[in-house]
PDB file of all heavy atoms in Angstrom:
ATOM      1  N   GLU A  40      -2.170  12.553 -12.966  1.00  0.00           N
ATOM      2  CA  GLU A  40      -2.583  12.773 -14.360  1.00  0.00           C
ATOM      3  C   GLU A  40      -1.407  13.277 -15.196  1.00  0.00           C
ATOM      4  O   GLU A  40      -1.214  12.844 -16.333  1.00  0.00           O
ATOM      5  CB  GLU A  40      -3.742  13.782 -14.413  1.00  0.00           C
ATOM      6  CG  GLU A  40      -5.043  13.198 -13.864  1.00  0.00           C
ATOM      7  CD  GLU A  40      -6.194  14.196 -13.865  1.00  0.00           C
ATOM      8  OE1 GLU A  40      -5.949  15.420 -14.012  1.00  0.00           O
ATOM      9  OE2 GLU A  40      -7.351  13.747 -13.721  1.00  0.00           O
ATOM     10  N   GLN A  41      -0.600  14.171 -14.618  1.00  0.00           N
ATOM     11  CA  GLN A  41       0.564  14.690 -15.358  1.00  0.00           C
ATOM     12  C   GLN A  41       1.592  13.587 -15.588  1.00  0.00           C
ATOM     13  O   GLN A  41       2.160  13.483 -16.674  1.00  0.00           O
ATOM     14  CB  GLN A  41       1.187  15.869 -14.596  1.00  0.00           C
ATOM     15  CG  GLN A  41       0.325  17.124 -14.685  1.00  0.00           C
ATOM     16  CD  GLN A  41       0.711  18.201 -13.674  1.00  0.00           C
ATOM     17  OE1 GLN A  41       1.488  17.953 -12.739  1.00  0.00           O
ATOM     18  NE2 GLN A  41       0.174  19.402 -13.857  1.00  0.00           N
ATOM     19  N   ASP A  42       1.809  12.749 -14.569  1.00  0.00           N
ATOM     20  CA  ASP A  42       2.742  11.621 -14.731  1.00  0.00           C
ATOM     21  C   ASP A  42       2.263  10.677 -15.837  1.00  0.00           C
ATOM     22  O   ASP A  42       3.061  10.198 -16.647  1.00  0.00           O
ATOM     23  CB  ASP A  42       2.855  10.814 -13.424  1.00  0.00           C
ATOM     24  CG  ASP A  42       3.538  11.587 -12.301  1.00  0.00           C
ATOM     25  OD1 ASP A  42       4.050  12.704 -12.549  1.00  0.00           O
ATOM     26  OD2 ASP A  42       3.532  11.080 -11.159  1.00  0.00           O
ATOM     27  N   LEU A  43       0.962  10.415 -15.854  1.00  0.00           N
ATOM     28  CA  LEU A  43       0.410   9.503 -16.869  1.00  0.00           C
ATOM     29  C   LEU A  43       0.524  10.117 -18.260  1.00  0.00           C
ATOM     30  O   LEU A  43       0.865   9.428 -19.225  1.00  0.00           O
ATOM     31  CB  LEU A  43      -1.048   9.161 -16.556  1.00  0.00           C
ATOM     32  CG  LEU A  43      -1.257   8.172 -15.405  1.00  0.00           C
ATOM     33  CD1 LEU A  43      -2.715   8.204 -14.924  1.00  0.00           C
ATOM     34  CD2 LEU A  43      -0.887   6.747 -15.835  1.00  0.00           C
ATOM     35  N   SER A  44       0.268  11.418 -18.379  1.00  0.00           N
ATOM     36  CA  SER A  44       0.370  11.971 -19.726  1.00  0.00           C
ATOM     37  C   SER A  44       1.824  12.115 -20.152  1.00  0.00           C
ATOM     38  O   SER A  44       2.127  11.995 -21.341  1.00  0.00           O
ATOM     39  CB  SER A  44      -0.485  13.233 -19.927  1.00  0.00           C
ATOM     40  OG  SER A  44       0.034  14.303 -19.255  1.00  0.00           O
ATOM     41  N   ALA A  45       2.752  12.256 -19.208  1.00  0.00           N
ATOM     42  CA  ALA A  45       4.173  12.218 -19.573  1.00  0.00           C
ATOM     43  C   ALA A  45       4.551  10.822 -20.075  1.00  0.00           C
ATOM     44  O   ALA A  45       5.315  10.666 -21.025  1.00  0.00           O
ATOM     45  CB  ALA A  45       5.044  12.593 -18.376  1.00  0.00           C
ATOM     46  N   PHE A  46       3.970   9.796 -19.450  1.00  0.00           N
ATOM     47  CA  PHE A  46       4.242   8.403 -19.845  1.00  0.00           C
ATOM     48  C   PHE A  46       3.642   8.108 -21.230  1.00  0.00           C
ATOM     49  O   PHE A  46       4.262   7.440 -22.048  1.00  0.00           O
ATOM     50  CB  PHE A  46       3.645   7.477 -18.776  1.00  0.00           C
ATOM     51  CG  PHE A  46       3.851   6.007 -19.017  1.00  0.00           C
ATOM     52  CD1 PHE A  46       5.077   5.409 -18.767  1.00  0.00           C
ATOM     53  CD2 PHE A  46       2.803   5.217 -19.467  1.00  0.00           C
ATOM     54  CE1 PHE A  46       5.260   4.040 -18.984  1.00  0.00           C
ATOM     55  CE2 PHE A  46       2.974   3.855 -19.677  1.00  0.00           C
ATOM     56  CZ  PHE A  46       4.210   3.269 -19.438  1.00  0.00           C
ATOM     57  N   LEU A  47       2.436   8.637 -21.474  1.00  0.00           N
ATOM     58  CA  LEU A  47       1.703   8.278 -22.698  1.00  0.00           C
ATOM     59  C   LEU A  47       1.966   9.240 -23.850  1.00  0.00           C
ATOM     60  O   LEU A  47       1.690   8.911 -25.008  1.00  0.00           O
ATOM     61  CB  LEU A  47       0.196   8.240 -22.414  1.00  0.00           C
ATOM     62  CG  LEU A  47      -0.258   7.179 -21.413  1.00  0.00           C
ATOM     63  CD1 LEU A  47      -1.731   7.364 -21.062  1.00  0.00           C
ATOM     64  CD2 LEU A  47      -0.032   5.773 -21.969  1.00  0.00           C
ATOM     65  N   GLY A  48       2.462  10.427 -23.566  1.00  0.00           N
ATOM     66  CA  GLY A  48       2.676  11.426 -24.623  1.00  0.00           C
ATOM     67  C   GLY A  48       1.910  12.685 -24.267  1.00  0.00           C
ATOM     68  O   GLY A  48       0.723  12.620 -23.950  1.00  0.00           O
ATOM     69  N   HIS A  49       2.593  13.828 -24.357  1.00  0.00           N
ATOM     70  CA  HIS A  49       2.044  15.041 -23.761  1.00  0.00           C
ATOM     71  C   HIS A  49       0.812  15.587 -24.459  1.00  0.00           C
ATOM     72  O   HIS A  49       0.104  16.417 -23.904  1.00  0.00           O
ATOM     73  CB  HIS A  49       3.132  16.110 -23.652  1.00  0.00           C
ATOM     74  CG  HIS A  49       4.005  15.899 -22.467  1.00  0.00           C
ATOM     75  ND1 HIS A  49       3.551  16.050 -21.179  1.00  0.00           N
ATOM     76  CD2 HIS A  49       5.296  15.498 -22.366  1.00  0.00           C
ATOM     77  CE1 HIS A  49       4.528  15.772 -20.335  1.00  0.00           C
ATOM     78  NE2 HIS A  49       5.588  15.418 -21.032  1.00  0.00           N
ATOM     79  N   GLU A  50       0.551  15.130 -25.684  1.00  0.00           N
ATOM     80  CA  GLU A  50      -0.649  15.651 -26.345  1.00  0.00           C
ATOM     81  C   GLU A  50      -1.903  14.900 -25.884  1.00  0.00           C
ATOM     82  O   GLU A  50      -3.009  15.260 -26.246  1.00  0.00           O
ATOM     83  CB  GLU A  50      -0.503  15.603 -27.876  1.00  0.00           C
ATOM     84  CG  GLU A  50      -0.534  14.219 -28.520  1.00  0.00           C
ATOM     85  CD  GLU A  50       0.683  13.337 -28.203  1.00  0.00           C
ATOM     86  OE1 GLU A  50       1.641  13.804 -27.543  1.00  0.00           O
ATOM     87  OE2 GLU A  50       0.670  12.164 -28.591  1.00  0.00           O
ATOM     88  N   ARG A  51      -1.710  13.915 -25.021  1.00  0.00           N
ATOM     89  CA  ARG A  51      -2.863  13.150 -24.524  1.00  0.00           C
ATOM     90  C   ARG A  51      -3.350  13.731 -23.204  1.00  0.00           C
ATOM     91  O   ARG A  51      -2.566  13.965 -22.296  1.00  0.00           O
ATOM     92  CB  ARG A  51      -2.478  11.678 -24.311  1.00  0.00           C
ATOM     93  CG  ARG A  51      -1.894  11.017 -25.537  1.00  0.00           C
ATOM     94  CD  ARG A  51      -2.859  10.902 -26.662  1.00  0.00           C
ATOM     95  NE  ARG A  51      -3.781   9.765 -26.485  1.00  0.00           N
ATOM     96  CZ  ARG A  51      -4.727   9.432 -27.363  1.00  0.00           C
ATOM     97  NH1 ARG A  51      -4.898  10.142 -28.459  1.00  0.00           N
ATOM     98  NH2 ARG A  51      -5.517   8.406 -27.141  1.00  0.00           N
ATOM     99  N   GLN A  52      -4.651  13.958 -23.110  1.00  0.00           N
ATOM    100  CA  GLN A  52      -5.233  14.439 -21.862  1.00  0.00           C
ATOM    101  C   GLN A  52      -5.690  13.235 -21.049  1.00  0.00           C
ATOM    102  O   GLN A  52      -6.300  12.309 -21.585  1.00  0.00           O
ATOM    103  CB  GLN A  52      -6.412  15.349 -22.158  1.00  0.00           C
ATOM    104  CG  GLN A  52      -5.996  16.488 -23.074  1.00  0.00           C
ATOM    105  CD  GLN A  52      -6.902  17.684 -22.922  1.00  0.00           C
ATOM    106  OE1 GLN A  52      -7.367  18.006 -21.835  1.00  0.00           O
ATOM    107  NE2 GLN A  52      -7.156  18.351 -24.033  1.00  0.00           N
ATOM    108  N   VAL A  53      -5.387  13.280 -19.768  1.00  0.00           N
ATOM    109  CA  VAL A  53      -5.687  12.150 -18.880  1.00  0.00           C
ATOM    110  C   VAL A  53      -6.602  12.638 -17.762  1.00  0.00           C
ATOM    111  O   VAL A  53      -6.307  13.629 -17.101  1.00  0.00           O
ATOM    112  CB  VAL A  53      -4.388  11.576 -18.265  1.00  0.00           C
ATOM    113  CG1 VAL A  53      -4.707  10.447 -17.281  1.00  0.00           C
ATOM    114  CG2 VAL A  53      -3.446  11.087 -19.362  1.00  0.00           C
ATOM    115  N   MET A  54      -7.713  11.967 -17.577  1.00  0.00           N
ATOM    116  CA  MET A  54      -8.641  12.276 -16.494  1.00  0.00           C
ATOM    117  C   MET A  54      -8.712  11.068 -15.557  1.00  0.00           C
ATOM    118  O   MET A  54      -9.235  10.010 -15.934  1.00  0.00           O
ATOM    119  CB  MET A  54     -10.044  12.588 -17.050  1.00  0.00           C
ATOM    120  CG  MET A  54     -10.187  13.974 -17.651  1.00  0.00           C
ATOM    121  SD  MET A  54      -9.225  14.272 -19.161  1.00  0.00           S
ATOM    122  CE  MET A  54      -9.946  13.099 -20.294  1.00  0.00           C
TER     123      MET A  54
END
Side-chain angles (χ1 to χ4, degrees):
E40 289 178 345
Q41 287 166 348
D42 292 353
L43 285 164
S44 71
F46 181 77
L47 296 172
H49 279 292
E50 71 292 355
R51 305 295 280 181
Q52 305 204 36
V53 177
M54 283 67 63

